[in-house]
């Protein structure tokens, strides 16, 4: 039977609560596979698993319970291995990598920050900041609205200015929050968002990070900022571009 993997932790991790249940219906019993200094938190994999709410919550719950006592490298929902032996093989093969990551992620959580523009507010901002937009708008107004070509030109200039603002604002958001985070991972472009950033944050200083997000909201009222977390550090299981893997000699 194939094996469902929730996460990877150290072999010395405290044992799991008795009778802990994971994904599936009926829920599969969660157990530990040990290999050297590492351990994988697993259960039998149910047939035809789909990301249903109940199973997503079960996956999160196993990680929350495991991560409460010590660092755990979370696997994404649906991580299935052919069998227990294959899981042990991966633990042995990538032992150095997993140990380095467990050390790097110890005591840390992930926060995801997404931002989009408040359309009306960003248009006001573009108008006040961009001389070309201002002069074209004024010329069109004086010409009783301007010709079709004038309006088209103004539309193109406004769109370009807003797109430029999106790039600037995404960079500014990252600059503002990076100092209060241990690492940042730039997520895939997401429709409707100008920024999709994940931050690795010390659990002990999470309040400072949340306060920094509030500061951005106050300082940039034309931005709508969505904060999600604390989450298991999914985006940092592999070293990100802002945090190269340490080489241990």
């Amino acid at each position: 039977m194939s094996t469902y993997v929730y996460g990877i932790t150290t072999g010395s991790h405290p044992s799991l609560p008795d009778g802990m249940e994971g994904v599936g219906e009926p829920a599969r019993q969660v157990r530990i596979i040990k290999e050297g200094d590492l351990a994988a938190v697993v259960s039998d994999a149910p047939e035809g698993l789909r990301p249903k709410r109940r199973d997503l919550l079960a996956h999160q719950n196993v990680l929350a319970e495991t991560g409460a006592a010590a660092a755990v490298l979370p696997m994404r929902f649906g991580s299935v291995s052919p069998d227990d032996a294959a899981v042990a093989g991966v633990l042995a093969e990538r032992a150095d990598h997993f140990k380095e990551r467990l050390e790097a992620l110890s005591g840390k959580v992930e926060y995801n920050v997404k931002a989009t523009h408040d359309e009306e507010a960003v248009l006001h901002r573009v108008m006040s900041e961009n001389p070309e937009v201002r002069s074209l708008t004024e010329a069109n107004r004086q010409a009783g609205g301007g010709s079709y070509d004038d309006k088209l030109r103004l539309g193109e200039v406004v769109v370009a200015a807003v797109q430029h603002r999106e790039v600037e604002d995404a960079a500014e958001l990252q600059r503002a929050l990076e100092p209060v985070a241990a690492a940042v991972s730039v997520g895939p472009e997401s429709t409707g968002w100008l920024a999709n950033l994940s931050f690795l944050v010390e659990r002990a200083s999470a309040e400072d990070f949340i306060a920094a997000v509030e500061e951005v909201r106050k300082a940039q009222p034309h931005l709508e900022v969505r904060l999600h977390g604390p989450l298991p550090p999914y985006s940092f299981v592999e070293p990100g571009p802002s945090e190269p893997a340490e080489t241990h000699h």
Side-chain angles (χ1 to χ4, degrees):
M1 173 175 275
S2 52
T3 303
Y4 185 96
V5 185
Y6 299 88
I8 292 162
T9 183
T10 59
S12 59
H13 190 289
S15 58
L16 297 171
D18 283 344
M20 191 175 184
E21 293 183 331
V23 296
E25 203 149 351
R28 306 301 194 267
Q29 206 70 25
V30 176
R31 52 196 168 78
I32 297 275
I33 297 171
K34 288 199 176 183
E35 175 63 42
D37 297 334
L38 294 167
V41 182
V42 306
S43 67
D44 291 345
E47 289 294 315
L49 184 67
R50 295 279 175 274
K52 294 198 292 275
R53 181 176 162 74
R54 191 210 156 280
D55 287 322
L56 289 166
L57 287 173
H59 181 93
Q60 287 280 28
N61 183 50
V62 170
L63 285 170
E65 291 272 352
T66 314
V72 61
L73 292 186
M75 296 294 114
R76 295 202 180 266
F77 179 85
S79 302
V80 175
S81 206
D83 52 31
D84 286 12
V87 175
V90 172
L91 291 181
E93 191 182 311
R94 303 194 68 202
D96 287 348
H97 167 76
F98 290 141
K99 284 178 199 167
E100 183 275 324
R101 289 284 84 199
L102 280 164
E103 208 173 295
L105 301 184
S106 180
K108 299 184 181 76
V109 289
E110 178 173 327
Y111 282 90
N112 177 254
V113 178
K114 288 189 174 78
T116 186
H117 275 149
D118 176 305
E119 214 165 301
E120 206 171 313
V122 79
L123 285 174
H124 277 298
R125 179 146 189 176
V126 161
M127 291 282 286
S128 66
E129 286 178 346
N130 191 306
E132 192 180 1
V133 170
R134 275 208 308 277
S135 61
L136 281 171
T137 306
E138 184 55 28
N140 284 6
R141 195 179 63 75
Q142 287 181 356
S147 68
Y148 172 77
D149 283 349
D150 292 338
K151 286 177 182 163
L152 199 61
R153 172 79 188 125
L154 177 61
E156 285 168 354
V157 171
V158 168
V159 167
V162 169
Q163 284 174 341
H164 178 70
R165 191 71 255 170
E166 284 182 355
V167 174
E168 293 279 304
D169 284 336
E172 213 167 297
L173 182 68
Q174 187 168 333
R175 273 199 304 274
L177 298 178
E178 258 180 320
V180 281
V184 61
S185 170
V186 179
E189 281 188 19
S190 185
T191 313
W193 302 104
L194 60 89
N196 175 19
L197 302 165
S198 290
F199 293 89
L200 187 65
V201 176
E202 291 280 354
R203 202 186 286 269
S205 61
E207 281 182 16
D208 296 342
F209 183 80
I210 293 164
V213 172
E214 278 308 314
E215 284 300 311
V216 170
R217 283 186 176 134
K218 279 188 204 141
Q220 310 282 4
H222 68 292
L223 280 185
E224 287 177 9
V225 180
R226 180 90 46 93
L227 176 65
H228 191 42
L231 305 162
Y234 290 111
S235 304
F236 301 92
V237 172
E238 299 297 328
S242 70
E243 187 194 26
E246 293 166 30
T247 47
H248 296 292
H249 299 292

